[in-house]
Amino acid sequence: MKIHLTSVFVDDQEKALRFYTDMLGFVKKHDVPAGADRWLTVVSPEEPDGTELLLEPSGHPAVQPYKTALVKDGIPAASFAVDDVRAEFDRLRGLGVHFPQEPVEADSVTTAVLDDTCGNLIQIMHGG
């Protein structure tokens, strides 16, 4: 068994697509109309047949209180592996990405947390 698809709830699918592709560097995999929304997934360019991230509309009534509580408590909705957290932090900050948590080292793991502009905190990490 392996993870094929995971999701992050986003306030605006088009805005999320731009952020996750233009800023984070993912590539669009699927973009299919689904009623008023879209089945919209992105993947790592390093693994185009790997795990897909669904940019899922946050229209369900339970989603906004959930997202608000996570952000309030500083809990990331997802975690992405990078080769070098400090280099990625510098690159993304140079593009205007806001980081509520700058790079932190704990044992053999380095993490940082960014705001995806769509209502989520996202952790980037290396090590472990």
Side-chain angles (χ1 to χ4, degrees):
M1 190 175 301
K2 65 181 182 176
I3 298 171
H4 170 71
L5 176 79
T6 189
S7 64
V8 62
F9 290 108
V10 298
D11 298 340
D12 178 318
Q13 284 186 301
E14 190 58 38
K15 181 179 179 183
L17 178 62
R18 286 192 307 271
F19 184 85
Y20 280 78
T21 57
D22 295 348
M23 300 292 204
L24 298 186
F26 291 104
V27 293
K28 182 169 58 173
K29 174 95 180 204
H30 295 288
D31 189 353
V32 180
D37 298 308
R38 297 145 68 183
W39 180 262
L40 182 58
T41 67
V42 295
V43 294
S44 167
E46 298 168 23
E47 296 182 358
D49 294 321
T51 304
E52 295 178 48
L53 178 66
L54 174 63
L55 303 176
E56 188 163 358
S58 56
H60 188 281
V63 172
Q64 200 55 53
Y66 166 76
K67 286 175 57 173
T68 300
L70 289 181
V71 171
K72 180 177 180 256
D73 290 342
I75 299 171
S79 181
F80 304 138
V82 297
D83 291 333
D84 182 331
V85 170
R86 291 194 183 280
E88 196 65 14
F89 168 79
D90 290 340
R91 181 186 78 80
L92 290 170
R93 191 167 62 173
L95 293 172
V97 175
H98 172 66
F99 279 82
Q101 180 204 303
E102 295 191 4
V104 173
E105 293 180 28
D107 295 322
S108 62
V109 177
T110 303
T111 64
V113 177
L114 61 90
D115 179 340
D116 78 348
T117 73
C118 299
N120 303 291
L121 298 178
I122 302 294
Q123 177 178 268
I124 58 173
M125 58 98 46
H126 177 80

